[in-house]
């Protein structure tokens, strides 16, 4: 009987803490409506513009694929991302296991309608720069004065 209560309390605690912790559900917020969304496998990791939140505190469960984009056939998954108020930097792993890098400017008009004929998607993609190789990417960060770096332990 005590074991049943222990299991029930453990499950309830995990469930309740999961409701307030979006990372448990694969939502790694990158500021604004961008998130690094994770699935069950590493190659499910992608950057999306979240469309599933009704309130800012809700977890993101789906969105418009940004990196890899709908057209990108070479990027396998996102390895790491970092962000600040205006920028997101992204490191991806390609299907051939090489690396690609991007940066995203989050400072754009985010008003959209569900069925806008792709206008909003194009507006987002106009603020996504890359893919670059590592040296090109580092030069772009310097040129644009983007003061973000990937955590060296993760890179």
């Amino acid at each position: 009987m005590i074991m049943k209560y222990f299991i029930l309390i453990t499950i309830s605690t995990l469930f309740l803490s999961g409701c307030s912790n979006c990372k448990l559900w694969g939502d790694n917020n990158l500021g604004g409506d961008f998130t690094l969304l994770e699935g069950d496998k590493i190659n499910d990791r992608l950057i999306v513009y979240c469309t599933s939140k009704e309130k800012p505190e809700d977890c993101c469960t789906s969105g418009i694929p940004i990196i890899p984009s709908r057209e990108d056939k070479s990027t396998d998954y996102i390895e790491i991302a970092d962000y600040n108020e205006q920028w997101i930097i992204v490191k991806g792993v390609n299907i051939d296991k090489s690396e690609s890098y991007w940066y995203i400017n989050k400072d754009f008009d985010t008003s959209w309608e569900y069925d806008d004929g792709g206008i909003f998607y194009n507006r987002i993609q106009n603020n996504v720069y890359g893919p670059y190789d590592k040296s090109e990417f580092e030069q772009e960060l310097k040129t644009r004065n983007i003061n973000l770096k990937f955590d060296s332990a993760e890179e």
Side-chain angles (χ1 to χ4, degrees):
M1 187 67 156
I2 293 175
M3 188 60 144
K4 282 186 181 179
Y5 285 118
F6 176 74
I7 291 171
L8 182 61
I9 289 170
T10 303
I11 291 172
S12 297
T13 303
L14 288 173
F15 178 73
L16 291 175
S17 69
C19 291
S20 63
N21 188 350
C22 293
K23 279 193 168 211
L24 292 175
W25 300 105
D27 175 4
N28 300 280
N29 190 323
L30 298 172
D33 287 319
F34 290 93
T35 195
L36 170 58
L37 200 57
E38 298 184 67
D40 294 336
K41 301 177 290 192
I42 193 164
N43 60 344
D44 291 337
R45 295 169 52 103
L46 72 156
I47 305 292
V48 300
Y49 184 88
C50 190
T51 57
S52 62
K53 291 183 187 182
E54 291 183 25
K55 298 177 283 191
E57 64 272 10
D58 289 347
C59 295
C60 182
T61 57
S62 65
I64 301 168
I66 305 303
I67 303 173
S69 68
R70 296 172 182 159
E71 297 82 16
D72 185 351
K73 303 298 182 219
S74 62
T75 306
D76 193 15
Y77 63 91
I78 301 307
E79 183 175 335
I80 189 170
D82 196 9
Y83 69 99
N84 62 22
E85 190 174 303
Q86 182 179 355
W87 303 99
I88 300 171
I89 60 171
V90 180
K91 177 182 176 184
V93 175
N94 297 323
I95 293 169
D96 67 3
K97 303 304 177 208
S98 63
E99 298 171 346
S100 293
Y101 298 83
W102 294 261
Y103 62 94
I104 301 170
N105 184 349
K106 297 188 289 185
D107 187 21
F108 66 94
D109 177 13
T110 59
S111 60
W112 72 290
E113 295 177 26
Y114 181 70
D115 188 14
D116 68 356
I119 295 168
F120 187 67
Y121 176 74
N122 290 334
R123 189 179 317 141
I124 295 171
Q125 288 301 330
N126 287 335
N127 289 280
V128 176
Y129 302 91
Y132 298 105
D133 66 29
K134 189 171 185 170
S135 63
E136 291 172 323
F137 176 71
E138 289 171 350
Q139 185 58 46
E140 283 289 319
L141 295 184
K142 279 183 188 175
T143 301
R144 300 199 184 275
N145 200 25
I146 301 172
N147 296 316
L148 288 168
K149 293 189 186 230
F150 299 116
D151 183 0
S152 61
E154 293 177 326
E155 190 176 20

